[in-house]
Amino acid sequence: MKKIAAIMLVLAASFSAFAALSVRSLANSFTLEWDEVEGSLWYDIYIDDAFIVRLDSSQLCYTVENLDGNREYKVSWAARDGENNNLDVSIQNCRTLSWDGEYRWVNTSDDDNRGKMKTLTMRVKSAYDSGYGQYPEIYVVRDGKEYRFFPIFNPGEEKGGWIEWDDDSYYAESYRKCAELINSSLINPSRWKLNSMRISPSEVFLSVSSKAFGLTADTDSTIRFFYNDEGRRCLEYRMDGDSLFRKIAFMNPVDGSPVYLLEET
């Protein structure tokens, strides 16, 4: 593969640029499709001159994922024979889309957790941190205000210990407003803490523990972005946790699952 990566793309006069390749811009990704090139054994793909993948001649499409959103990249593609001669080459500058926007789930049942879950609306915007790179900031929209659901803390300012439920910090207020939506009991925790989180361009995860009357509930939340069959952007919010959490969590009242599917508005 090092040899493949070292091969330079050269546009010769005999090549018809863009003749075989189309690039579709998606959120944090590109989907490349091309026509079969006679005599080709391999199709090689590069992003900003970095080698991505070598595909055999039976494959005529590929999706490059986990790119930054709203960013321009140089997309290079080459059809090559068994001796790595270029049979066709395309080089295009293309810009990715992003997951930024507003997403909503609408409750079609009569059970709305005492009026708190008639709808679930989240807004997403791209953010950047030197340690994490680009990541999605996710806000819960409630009563005309926004409360940051992810990340709970500003990057680099994560707290490892227990935080009082009624703490007056911005992150405690956001946690309260978000946690109240999925708490089906009449009892609020007395304190909570962040256990762990993971970040990627199209999926984030956080684990939180909360305490009440000496009992501890562990909550895992995963948010995943994807396109549905109609090509609409979607946000999947999935809850998981220990047995105590599952007893008090407000599961999706429409199907009883721990999953809420929000579509772009």
Side-chain angles (χ1 to χ4, degrees):
M1 286 301 177
K2 290 182 179 179
K3 181 180 179 181
I4 299 171
I7 298 173
M8 299 298 295
L9 293 174
V10 178
L11 282 174
S14 59
F15 296 145
S16 54
F18 317 147
L21 180 72
S22 68
V23 180
R24 181 187 176 197
S25 295
L26 299 168
N28 295 84
S29 63
F30 293 122
T31 292
L32 287 67
E33 298 185 43
W34 55 89
D35 301 325
E36 182 179 1
V37 177
E38 184 177 355
S40 64
L41 189 62
W42 310 109
Y43 299 111
D44 294 338
I45 295 171
Y46 301 76
I47 299 292
D48 284 348
D49 295 328
F51 174 72
I52 300 299
V53 68
R54 163 162 279 194
L55 305 170
D56 66 44
S57 58
S58 66
Q59 300 184 69
L60 301 177
C61 65
Y62 187 80
T63 298
V64 183
E65 300 178 313
N66 294 321
L67 301 171
D68 286 347
N70 288 327
R71 179 185 157 187
E72 186 170 284
Y73 289 90
K74 182 168 75 171
V75 180
S76 304
W77 166 95
R80 290 177 168 138
D81 63 18
E83 297 181 351
N84 282 322
N85 295 311
N86 291 334
L87 303 180
D88 199 357
V89 169
S90 175
I91 299 176
Q92 303 183 35
N93 290 322
C94 305
R95 178 172 290 274
T96 55
L97 305 179
S98 75
W99 299 113
D100 292 10
E102 187 173 271
Y103 300 78
R104 181 173 296 132
W105 168 83
V106 177
N107 192 346
T108 58
S109 77
D110 295 327
D111 185 4
D112 57 16
N113 199 18
R114 303 184 296 279
K116 293 181 290 187
M117 285 286 278
K118 295 180 181 296
T119 62
L120 177 60
T121 302
M122 295 186 179
R123 186 177 70 85
V124 179
K125 71 172 185 177
S126 298
Y128 181 83
D129 176 74
S130 58
Y132 295 118
Q134 191 183 80
Y135 64 92
E137 277 190 350
I138 303 167
Y139 295 80
V140 167
V141 181
R142 184 179 177 189
D143 302 326
K145 297 182 179 180
E146 294 185 348
Y147 302 94
R148 193 170 70 192
F149 178 82
F150 186 92
I152 295 177
F153 304 102
N154 292 327
E157 299 178 4
E158 293 82 2
K159 313 295 182 182
W162 290 98
I163 297 167
E164 297 298 319
W165 173 258
D166 58 359
D167 188 276
D168 61 2
S169 60
Y170 76 89
Y171 48 81
E173 180 186 21
S174 289
Y175 179 79
R176 286 193 298 271
K177 293 296 186 179
C178 295
E180 285 170 351
L181 297 179
I182 62 168
N183 182 3
S184 65
S185 76
L186 298 175
I187 301 171
N188 289 323
S190 58
R191 58 185 59 184
W192 59 275
K193 69 174 182 177
L194 175 67
N195 297 321
S196 64
M197 69 176 185
R198 296 193 301 269
I199 297 178
S200 69
S202 299
E203 182 174 307
V204 299
F205 167 87
L206 62 88
S207 174
V208 175
S209 293
S210 56
K211 281 187 177 182
F213 298 104
L215 300 175
T216 301
D218 296 325
T219 306
D220 295 335
S221 300
T222 303
I223 290 181
R224 180 177 69 91
F225 299 95
F226 67 97
Y227 286 91
N228 65 14
D229 292 339
E230 288 74 44
R232 292 177 58 80
R233 296 179 305 163
C234 296
L235 181 160
E236 179 192 84
Y237 169 43
R238 178 180 296 271
M239 304 181 297
D240 198 1
D242 59 15
S243 58
L244 179 57
F245 167 76
R246 289 192 290 272
K247 287 180 181 178
I248 63 175
F250 184 70
M251 300 297 180
N252 189 326
V254 178
D255 58 14
S257 76
V259 176
Y260 291 87
L261 183 61
L262 290 68
E263 289 192 359
E264 64 178 317
T265 59

